[in-house]
């Protein structure tokens, strides 16, 4: 069970990089071995701490991408987007070697969490790297064999920025209750119907759920994107109390 | 003993003495909230202080604007690790708002439009330590940053500075608020790095 639900001290734990894969040229998924990891709920995040040989430290927060448990052994996955002016993310994407160690503590977060309860359908709206905690929800649903209807609306600038493309295709193709819609804003793949455009009310109405469905909505991405999407959902009639947001970095 | 990450060099900036442990300096102003930004028309806006005996004092926006304002320049520290130095606010001191409140309560719960709550010892809201802020950087406080008005308690992690604040409930016992109920620290002192329960 997630630590957030069972209050106790969050201690730093050593995590060893056991595997890594590139989601795209600027985003790397870290597969971490964390002995004694207590488990987490989909949507939660961890604090990562890096220590340099001279003792200098830096901390940042990253969303958890993996489910718990995973289908094939317990491991924790983070997907890290390289920020060119970043202090921590370029190390995690480009420099942390297999077998290398970082520290983390968590899981953290109790609101931006999907719990497989009730019957409400689920709308996930991702802006770019905001898909990471939403992927944890999709993976958790798959691991549990849960049948809640899920719709993911995934806004991204171009196909080159896609995360988890193959896995999303595989999961959605075998599951009538999981729908994935890509909203390309600048460049679409060849043969894509329609033209690249910002996610708008019409697209959310077409690919989301109507407000009377009582859907649970999770919106994650850059702050400005989340602000716009949450406003659109409220305007469409969704209950603000059922809209959960996670705003990543960036400023408005 | 912390684990060293091979090849990590960090920024090698000399950390500022006024940067709390585990924080980094942010030039922008990130927005973090757990839900949609509430929409609060000024003519419907109210701020209510409720004492432990149930006595209420209430202010409209116009009444708040008629109170003495202060300009405040402070550093702010978010539990998500960013700190921002020298932020400029304008607001009404809680000392002004609490001046006529009869209370022996030791604690307060701040309430917000949208349902957010956060708890603080009352002494952390008095003696020039806290404001109801309605202006940031010389402009009206944007809704995304908590406008029309937010609590400003800069000596604690910024989740204590409740956005869209609409009231204070004074209590004799400490009643954890929203984040305090899901694993975050009850008090939240950045200088003691009180991020999570038990820190």
């Amino acid at each position: 069970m997630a630590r957030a639900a069972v209050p106790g001290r969050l201690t730093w734990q050593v995590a060893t990089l056991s595997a890594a894969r590139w989601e795209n040229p600027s985003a790397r998924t870290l597969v971490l071995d964390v002995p004694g990891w207590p488990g987490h709920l989909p949507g939660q995040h961890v604090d990562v701490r890096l220590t340099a040989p001279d003792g200098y430290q830096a901390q940042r927060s990253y969303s958890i991408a993996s489910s718990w448990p995973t289908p094939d052994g317990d491991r924790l996955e983070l997907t890290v987007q390289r920020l060119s002016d970043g202090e921590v993310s370029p190390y995690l994407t480009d420099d942390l070697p297999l077998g290398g160690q970082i520290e983390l503590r968590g899981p953290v977060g109790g609101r931006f969490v999907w719990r497989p309860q009730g019957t409400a359908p689920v709308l996930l709206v991702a802006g770019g790297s905001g898909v990471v905690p939403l992927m944890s929800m999709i993976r958790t649903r798959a691991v549990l064999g849960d049948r809640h209807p899920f719709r993911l609306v995934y806004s991204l600038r171009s196909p080159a920025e896609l995360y988890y493309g193959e896995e999303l295709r595989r999961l959605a193709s075998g599951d009538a209750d999981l729908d994935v819609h890509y909203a390309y804003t600048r460049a679409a793949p060849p043969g894509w119907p329609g033209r690249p455009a910002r996610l708008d009310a019409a697209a959310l109405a077409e690919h989301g759920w109507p407000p009377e469905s009582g859907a649970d909505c999770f919106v994650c991405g850059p702050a400005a994107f989340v602000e716009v999407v949450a406003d659109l959902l409220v305007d469409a009639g969704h209950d603000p109390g059922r809209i959960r947001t996670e705003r990543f970095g960036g400023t408005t | 003993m912390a684990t060293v990450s091979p090849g990590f060099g960090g920024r090698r900036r000399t950390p500022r003495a006024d940067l709390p442990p585990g924080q980094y300096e942010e030039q922008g102003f990130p927005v973090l909230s757990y839900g949609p930004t509430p929409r609060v028309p000024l003519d419907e806006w109210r701020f209510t202080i409720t004492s432990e005996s149930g006595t209420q004092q209430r202010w409209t926006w116009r009444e708040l604007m008629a109170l003495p304002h202060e300009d405040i320049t402070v550093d702010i520290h978010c539990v998500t690790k960013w700190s921002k130095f020298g932020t400029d606010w304008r607001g009404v001191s809680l000392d002004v708002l609490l001046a006529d409140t009869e209370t022996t309560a030791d604690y307060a719960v701040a309430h917000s439009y949208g349902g957010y709550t956060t708890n603080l010892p009352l002494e952390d809201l008095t003696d020039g330590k806290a404001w109801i802020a309605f202006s940031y950087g010389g402009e009206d406080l944007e809704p995304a940053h908590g406008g029309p008005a937010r609590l400003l308690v800069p000596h604690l992690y910024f989740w204590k500075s409740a956005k869209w604040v609409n009231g204070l409930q004074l209590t004799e016992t400490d009643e954890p608020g929203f984040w305090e109920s899901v694993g975050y620290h009850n008090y939240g002192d950045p200088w003691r790095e009180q991020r999570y329960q038990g820190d």
Side-chain angles (χ1 to χ4, degrees):
Chain A
M1 269 319 288
R3 194 86 62 99
V6 186
R9 189 177 159 104
L10 286 177
T11 52
W12 290 102
Q13 295 175 270
V14 176
T16 306
L17 188 68
S18 61
R21 55 181 184 268
W22 290 98
E23 300 294 342
N24 64 43
S26 68
R28 186 192 196 198
T29 289
L30 310 177
V31 182
L32 297 162
D33 180 27
V34 192
W37 179 248
H40 59 269
L41 298 169
Q44 291 189 296
H45 62 273
V46 292
D47 284 1
V48 169
R49 181 169 75 179
L50 301 180
T51 303
D54 67 352
Y56 175 88
Q57 293 186 323
Q59 287 187 37
R60 297 292 188 276
S61 299
Y62 289 101
S63 288
I64 300 169
S66 47
S67 61
W68 191 270
T70 56
D72 46 0
D74 286 350
R75 57 178 201 275
L76 192 67
E77 295 189 10
L78 311 177
T79 302
V80 178
Q81 171 90 32
R82 181 195 303 113
L83 303 174
S84 53
D85 58 344
E87 176 178 34
V88 171
S89 65
Y91 174 81
L92 295 176
T93 53
D94 303 338
D95 300 333
L96 179 66
L98 291 180
Q101 294 185 319
I102 61 177
E103 288 178 294
L104 48 82
R105 64 176 186 155
V108 180
R111 167 92 180 164
F112 196 81
V113 164
W114 176 67
R115 291 178 173 88
Q117 299 159 345
T119 56
V122 176
L123 172 63
L124 309 175
V125 187
S129 59
V131 74
V132 174
L134 306 181
M135 192 65 185
S136 177
M137 297 177 190
I138 290 169
R139 287 169 168 164
T140 298
R141 175 181 171 277
V143 167
L144 296 176
D146 179 274
R147 306 302 303 170
H148 279 81
F150 264 44
R151 287 182 180 170
L152 169 66
V153 177
Y154 184 176
S155 170
L156 63 171
R157 279 186 291 225
S158 73
E161 297 193 354
L162 181 64
Y163 289 15
Y164 320 125
E166 185 55 33
E167 186 181 358
L168 282 170
R169 198 183 55 74
R170 187 171 49 77
L171 287 169
S173 68
D175 186 343
D177 292 317
L178 173 63
D179 182 74
V180 179
H181 172 72
Y182 298 101
Y184 294 101
T185 61
R186 293 188 192 170
W192 192 258
R195 295 172 43 189
R198 289 194 157 217
L199 192 57
D200 60 10
L204 281 172
E206 183 179 355
H207 301 286
W209 298 103
E212 55 272 19
S213 68
D216 287 314
C217 305
F218 294 88
V219 187
C220 185
F225 170 87
V226 170
E227 197 66 23
V228 167
V229 170
D231 275 349
L232 288 172
L233 292 171
V234 172
D235 286 342
H238 285 272
D239 174 0
R242 298 194 86 102
I243 303 169
R244 293 164 193 246
T245 58
E246 185 111 300
R247 293 161 166 89
F248 281 176
T251 57
T252 58
Chain B
M1 192 51 216
T3 301
V4 171
S5 295
F8 176 64
R11 275 258 174 75
R12 297 293 138 204
R13 297 160 309 188
T14 310
R16 299 175 52 145
D18 49 4
L19 189 69
Q23 297 290 105
Y24 65 92
E25 182 177 357
E26 169 69 55
Q27 299 299 334
F29 193 169
V31 171
L32 296 146
S33 348
Y34 68 53
T37 297
R39 303 166 191 187
V40 188
L42 290 184
D43 57 353
E44 294 173 23
W45 185 92
R46 298 290 184 275
F47 180 76
T48 307
I49 294 178
T50 308
S51 76
E52 69 273 27
S53 64
T55 309
Q56 293 196 321
Q57 300 158 275
R58 184 166 289 139
W59 291 264
T60 63
W61 187 258
R62 190 178 303 227
E63 289 165 337
L64 183 81
M65 292 299 114
L67 294 171
H69 298 170
E70 290 180 21
D71 289 322
I72 314 116
T73 300
V74 288
D75 304 337
I76 57 177
H77 310 291
C78 179
V79 72
T80 63
K81 317 289 186 311
W82 59 267
S83 290
K84 191 166 172 60
F85 294 104
T87 60
D88 294 319
W89 306 81
R90 175 171 291 177
V92 174
S93 170
L94 257 302
D95 292 325
V96 172
L97 292 157
L98 287 162
D100 299 327
T101 306
E102 300 261 338
T103 183
T104 58
D106 290 326
Y107 302 97
V109 179
H111 290 261
S112 297
Y113 290 100
Y116 181 74
T117 58
T118 187
N119 59 308
L120 310 95
L122 188 54
E123 64 181 11
D124 285 80
L125 293 172
T126 55
D127 298 329
K129 293 195 288 288
W131 297 264
I132 301 298
F134 50 81
S135 160
Y136 172 77
E139 307 278 339
D140 289 349
L141 184 59
E142 289 176 24
H145 285 299
R150 77 181 295 162
L151 188 60
L152 177 64
V153 194
H155 70 283
L156 299 175
Y157 280 126
F158 218 44
W159 89 79
K160 296 286 183 178
S161 293
K163 294 175 175 176
W164 314 296
V165 69
N166 66 8
L168 278 185
Q169 168 77 52
L170 308 185
T171 58
E172 286 168 335
T173 54
D174 196 6
E175 299 174 11
F178 182 83
W179 289 120
E180 296 83 4
S181 302
V182 293
Y184 282 78
H185 196 274
N186 197 52
Y187 183 64
D189 180 352
W191 295 98
R192 288 184 281 169
E193 206 168 354
Q194 294 174 335
R195 299 181 193 277
Y196 311 119
Q197 237 150 27
D199 280 356

